[in-house]
Amino acid sequence: MGETMTHATDGTGRLQWRPRRAEVLFAAVVGLLVLGLLWFAGERAGSRLAFNVQSSVAGQMQVFYDEEGHFSESTSRWYPLAAGQPTEIVLEKSGPRMAHVRIDPPGGGKVSLCGMRLSLAGQDRGYVVVGAHQVEQAGEGQCLVLSSAADAADPQVVLAGDAALNASIRAAKRWHRLYQGVLCAGVVLLAVALFGLRWLLLAPIRRFPRLRWLEWLDGRAHWVCAGLMLVFGGLYALQTPPGAVPDEGAHLAKIAKIHAGAPFGGAPGDLFPEVALMYGPFSKYLDNKQPLSAERMERQLGQPVICSATTTEMARGADPYFPHQYALSTAAFAVACATGSSFGTFLYSARFLNLLLATVLVGIGVAFGGRARWALALIALLPMSMFQMASLSADSLVISLSIAWIGLTAGLASGQVEVRRVVGLLWVLAISVGLLKPGAAWILGSLLFCRDAFRRSGISYVRALACFLVLPWILHLGLIASVDSDSIVRDGVDPQANMQLLKSDPAVFLHLVGNTFFGDYNQHLYRMMVGILGWIDVPLSEWAYPLAGVALLAALFLGSNREDLFPWRWAAPASLVMAAGSAVLISLPLYARWTSLDAPIVQGLQGRYFLPTLAFVWAGVAMRSPDLVRTVLLALVMGAAVALNIDALDRLHQAYFVLGR
């Protein structure tokens, strides 16, 4: 009787393994050994860069780090600086990644970097300056002083290790490899242990009584989501300065063209309102990084809407998009022109109308979403989603329509929605999705998971595919073929050369796609998807991105404990395959029109493009969980959504009105 039995039943007659005391002791020793090795290798492989900085101007300082000096946004951190206020900068990374450092100070003043030291394996090492751009350098004691002009577009200084530092980094690299190997082995061992003990861990959870209030809350998830969207979306609409949403000027130009009767750009020589004048000093965010004056913004917003047609020079970036993506904004523009309203009245009215429509569409997706409802709610509440849905951008409808369609088809597939009740809604959503911006219609493929739902309703599934998948895609392809998108080409890129290379050697394109999604750039894509706001120059706090990752992972397990008919076993892997295909589809036009021949990745991809992809995968992979687990995870997910948006709103305010960018 001194040792635990090796086998027992779990109450259903199935035989379960129980560990002996010796086995438990052995597992504990192995676990302690793994933790010890992780700690020791991490200490030897890690590094800590620290220095004090003082700037004569407010702004953001960006610090890049890379082993080979191939700097990218994905391996960088932003630090806000207040004018005249000393700030301590601390950056902790693995040793190899700190071999090269680039510092981009705010332009238009002097920035002092003092006491810079890199602690590695218990020793302090130093850097030497190996390059600079648009900055003047001067040494003052232990400080490096950088000076740049106010119009400097990209001031920067590059630092590299001296001989002693390079030797330490090579040693740290070996320790880092050991750390990674031990970590992988530890994760595998932990997974095996949890799998073996799953009956012991889940038994008390399964005995927990069903929580009726949780079922009540599930039935009102769409109202919870709508309330949070209206609150935070409204704050984004008010907090974001005019023109601070990427390409807002191009979207407003599209609105003016629709209002003038030229929904796809019109003919050469057609006259349109010179809407760029309405932005005034708020039209050059790529160059002007200084804090904005609230008084100056109020004066600009108080200017009357420009409605008279006086120019042929209009931004063409949004010309290929179908007009329904701007329907509400165009209506607001028409009313503003008819009543002589101010630019601010139009701008905020259009933003709030788009937000209201997005809230309704997301509410539909969450209400019908079955086991995916809370996952879809979280994705809609990510700061990047909210920032776009409360704007003039076409992405407002792309994101919200995608969530509505994905949620509706998830509900159909799970058997929680009867097909005959929603046929009209299916028509509206399918045609609307089919006419979205090029490439966005791929999400209609979620209808492939609904075969059994149509058969249960006695409706031909083949006819449903023809109506809700094939027909919208024919419209989608016809729209793409009918519009002139030659103007949407990055300077210096030859689309014909790229397409010729694609035809002759498709592996080149696939290699770039692989580098984009499996190299360092994927971190930047993820951060942009969660939220790097403005013109991709207002990041959230550093803690926000891991919190968002934990919340997204938790959202996968928020499906109701009730049985449903969702074909998870084949739909989950199928959704992953389809999402991978969508990544290639979304990358293709940007490869052709935005990527230089010598680029290591597909250029121009942004995280917000993949929010529908994220919703699609999370809806296909979402799993059911016991009520007790769901309660804890739901509190985490909703708390994270609130915290992320509060942080994003604060960062927007700091970036645009206090410190600059």
Side-chain angles (χ1 to χ4, degrees), residues 208-224 366-367 370 373-374 416 558-563 625-628 630-631 634:
F208 199 82
R210 175 168 289 181
L211 301 175
R212 298 298 179 185
W213 65 266
L214 191 57
E215 295 181 12
W216 179 90
L217 187 61
D218 277 339
R220 291 156 181 82
H222 52 296
W223 292 114
V224 175
V366 173
R373 57 170 54 93
W374 290 110
Q416 297 183 16
L558 287 180
S560 172
N561 199 21
R562 295 188 304 167
E563 293 287 343
S625 297
D627 285 0
L628 182 60
R630 293 183 64 228
T631 300
L634 183 57

Side-chain angles (χ1 to χ4, degrees), residues 442-503:
W442 75 270
I443 64 159
L444 292 169
S446 63
L447 192 71
L448 297 174
F449 304 150
C450 303
R451 179 189 60 184
D452 292 339
F454 283 92
R455 290 180 175 176
R456 287 193 300 269
S457 297
I459 297 177
S460 169
Y461 183 57
V462 174
R463 184 180 301 172
L465 290 177
C467 294
F468 305 128
L469 181 60
V470 177
L471 175 60
W473 255 104
I474 291 174
L475 294 175
H476 191 71
L477 295 174
L479 175 64
I480 295 173
S482 66
V483 297
D484 175 20
S485 57
D486 289 340
S487 62
I488 313 174
V489 178
R490 184 182 180 185
D491 291 341
V493 173
D494 184 351
Q496 293 182 348
N498 281 353
M499 293 307 295
Q500 185 61 39
L501 180 60
L502 177 65
K503 294 176 182 177

Side-chain angles (χ1 to χ4, degrees), residues 382-539:
L382 288 176
M384 182 54 77
S385 300
M386 294 303 311
F387 183 73
Q388 292 294 326
M389 287 192 285
S391 74
L392 298 184
S393 170
D395 286 315
S396 176
L397 197 62
V398 171
I399 297 169
S400 55
L401 259 178
S402 298
I403 291 176
W405 175 263
I406 292 168
L408 179 57
T409 52
L412 290 171
S414 64
Q416 297 183 16
V417 180
E418 211 282 320
V419 174
R420 294 185 182 276
R421 290 178 50 210
V422 295
V423 169
L425 184 58
L426 281 168
W427 272 112
V428 172
L429 293 182
I431 298 301
S432 298
V433 170
L435 296 175
L436 286 175
K437 61 197 298 187
W442 75 270
I443 64 159
L444 292 169
S446 63
L447 192 71
L448 297 174
F449 304 150
C450 303
R451 179 189 60 184
D452 292 339
F454 283 92
R455 290 180 175 176
R456 287 193 300 269
S457 297
I459 297 177
S460 169
Y461 183 57
V462 174
R463 184 180 301 172
L465 290 177
C467 294
F468 305 128
L469 181 60
V470 177
L471 175 60
W473 255 104
I474 291 174
L475 294 175
H476 191 71
L477 295 174
L479 175 64
I480 295 173
S482 66
V483 297
D484 175 20
S485 57
D486 289 340
S487 62
I488 313 174
V489 178
R490 184 182 180 185
D491 291 341
V493 173
D494 184 351
Q496 293 182 348
N498 281 353
M499 293 307 295
Q500 185 61 39
L501 180 60
L502 177 65
K503 294 176 182 177
S504 62
D505 189 2
V508 172
F509 168 65
L510 295 177
H511 177 70
L512 292 183
V513 172
N515 283 348
T516 304
F517 293 100
F518 298 102
D520 282 341
Y521 192 71
N522 63 9
Q523 302 173 38
H524 189 52
L525 275 176
Y526 164 73
R527 289 162 67 91
M528 286 192 290
M529 185 167 60
V530 173
I532 300 182
L533 309 179
W535 285 77
I536 319 178
D537 58 5
V538 182

Side-chain angles (χ1 to χ4, degrees), residues 378 381 383 543 547-548 550-551 634-646:
L378 174 62
L381 290 168
W543 55 263
L547 175 62
V550 171
L634 183 57
L636 168 65
V637 166
M638 289 294 101
V642 171
L644 291 171
N645 282 286
I646 291 175

Side-chain angles (χ1 to χ4, degrees), residues 40-61:
F40 186 75
E43 285 291 308
R44 306 296 295 181
S47 63
R48 183 177 187 271
L49 174 64
F51 59 95
N52 294 314
V53 58
Q54 183 167 329
S55 174
S56 64
V57 295
Q60 297 276 349
M61 184 178 72

